[in-house]
Amino acid sequence: MAAPAEDHGRAGTRIALARLGIGLAQGVGLWLLSEAYAHKLWPAAVAWVPAAATLALAYAPLIVIGGLGRIRPLTLALWALAAALILAVFAWHDLDAGIWSGLWSPETRAPAAQVFFFAAIFVFVGHHLVGPADQVRRPIAPYPVYFDWAWKDAVQLALSVLFVGVLWAALALGAELFKLIGIDALEKLVSQAWFSSPVTFVALAGAVQLTDVRVGLIQGVRTVGLVLLSWLLPVMTLLVVAFLGALPFTGLAPLFATRAGASTLLAACAVLIVLTSAAYQDGQAPVPVVLRWAGRAAGLALVPLVLIAAYALALRVGQYGLSPARIEAIAGAVVAAGFAAGYAFAAARPKPPWMRPLELTNVVMARVVMLLLVLLLTPIADPARLAVDDQVGRLTSGKTAPAAFDYAFLRYQSGRYGADALGRLAALSGSPGNLAIAAAVKASDNAVSAASAPPQAPLSQPIAVYPAGAVAPKSFLAQAGRGPIGGHSTCLGSVQPGCELYVLDLEGAGSPQVSVNDPSSEDASTLPLEVFSQDASGAWTKSGDLVVHCADAIAALRAGHLTLKPSPRRDVQLAGRSFAVSPLQTGDCPQASAGAPAH
């Protein structure tokens, strides 16, 4: 029969191997999904499938990695499966309606960044409600258990992310070291997604394992962090109380004039809540008198902060109606109001222990946060849908004049709901008000069509072409006529006076490049140029920059008197001086030409 220590060691080894295996599978799975995105293996009609898989695969394995050895297997499996399904619904709805990006399109294949952010909050909060309850075998655990789980995992996650970041910094440094001696194999390896994705998640799983077996390390870091945060509470409380004391003298008008007053006040509430919780900790340790008084003052100060924020939101909604951002702020105000009520009650309660009702408030509001996320990230209380319904209602009821209505919000910022609403508004008929709305929608459509039409080629003024006798490629002029090439070539795009083209072979490959000057340069002795090359498909793209100094070198360039110096890089010799064509810095490094020496 194995000794208990041996059994514990074997269990630890199994957990470590399981974590590393899950991390590897997660990394490989996300890489395969990214490849599927890149090659468009899913038709647009089911684009939500890879998006749902991506969001679920980004978080569900982390639930299992963090819960192994701490949550019973059945409970952990059910929680991970439930979380994956809920996250899949979040991703499906985002692609179906475009609620957060606003740029709804059947071609969209990945959830918006906001969905990933709110999904992370949902998973973290849910994990620290499920884990403690499973540990004590009751639906609601004692507050010290919640505290221990949440703050331990927060520190563990921060250290694990830091470990992954340092690992990649070390790999990048190692790649640079090998590159110095002409070996670029490591640089190429770390730039490959099939390598970087598995390595990242295996490293993250390994970091969780390493920190999990070093309980003393986590507890020490957590203790130091909580002490530092708790002693920020008096500072923040003093600032907030001083702010509230100044309001009677300044009034609310300067605050509301910023148009960010509500969000700033809610952010201050969040900071006070976190710092007060850090000072309270698990409610078992004695709290210095300074922190006790600061905590009471902070709890009471939350009430006026939330009330002012709610008043500011009410004014904005009354004036301009709902928008997705205002709905998000309203949800934040609801959460802040719940915390403010509980913390104010705890602060006003005179008998010890200090701020004890804070415990119930934190546990209840954690569940409220999860509920609000489910409502906002599904059709139940979708911000775009609610905002569109409100704005359209204001328009059709006459609160907003057709000429003053923001049709761009429906077209660009409210996903499928806005697009559907525009169609309904354009089809209105009957009353003069309906006809005016339909006409305004059609006018906005015409304005968008006119604005999106390709501009005329920017040749309304003479453009100098060098050297003498050179002809600018028609394909380049045609592409530049449709706008700046890849965000560059603003000289042509805006038809600035003094725009010059240089048609020269700067690579020695027999095909000319087109260089465009910057006419805004005030230094006559310097000629900055953007260099454009034609790719295999015939499209022109920026390939580098060339800056020529001195009048004689500029004259030589304009005359076409240049030679190319054999070199690993593109060096142009003008009037006896060398000028390097700096390659455009992109994610794809240019391959060295055959026989070129390493450097």
Side-chain angles (χ1 to χ4, degrees), residues 52 55-57 59-64 75-91 119 122-124 126-127 130 370 374:
L55 195 63
L57 195 56
Y59 293 110
L62 299 180
I63 291 174
V64 179
T75 304
L76 182 60
L78 292 175
W79 159 230
L81 179 61
L85 292 175
I86 294 172
L87 294 177
V89 171
F90 290 171
F122 178 86
V123 168
F124 185 85
H127 192 72
V130 172
M370 292 192 69
V374 171

Side-chain angles (χ1 to χ4, degrees), residues 23-24 27 164 167-168 171 193-205:
L24 177 61
V164 174
L167 170 65
W168 277 107
L171 288 174
W194 62 263
F195 174 81
S196 60
S197 181
V199 166
T200 296
F201 288 97
V202 168
L204 186 63

Side-chain angles (χ1 to χ4, degrees), residues 1-12 14:
M1 182 176 178
E6 294 177 354
D7 291 341
H8 181 75
R10 291 172 182 171
R14 288 195 297 270

Side-chain angles (χ1 to χ4, degrees), residues 299-391:
L300 296 174
L302 284 172
V303 175
L305 286 179
V306 172
L307 290 176
I308 296 171
Y311 179 56
L313 283 172
L315 288 179
R316 298 295 291 178
V317 171
Q319 290 175 329
Y320 305 106
L322 291 174
S323 68
R326 291 182 195 124
I327 293 172
E328 296 171 38
I330 290 171
V334 169
V335 174
F339 276 107
Y343 279 44
F345 175 74
R349 180 175 175 269
K351 61 181 181 180
W354 174 71
M355 298 285 286
R356 175 58 61 83
L358 172 153
E359 298 180 357
L360 180 60
T361 301
N362 287 350
V363 174
V364 171
M365 293 311 300
R367 289 168 166 79
V368 171
V369 167
M370 292 192 69
L371 176 61
L372 284 175
L373 289 174
V374 171
L375 295 177
L376 293 173
L377 291 166
T378 60
I380 301 172
D382 173 73
R385 179 179 65 81
L386 297 178
V388 167
D389 291 345
D390 181 71
Q391 293 293 341

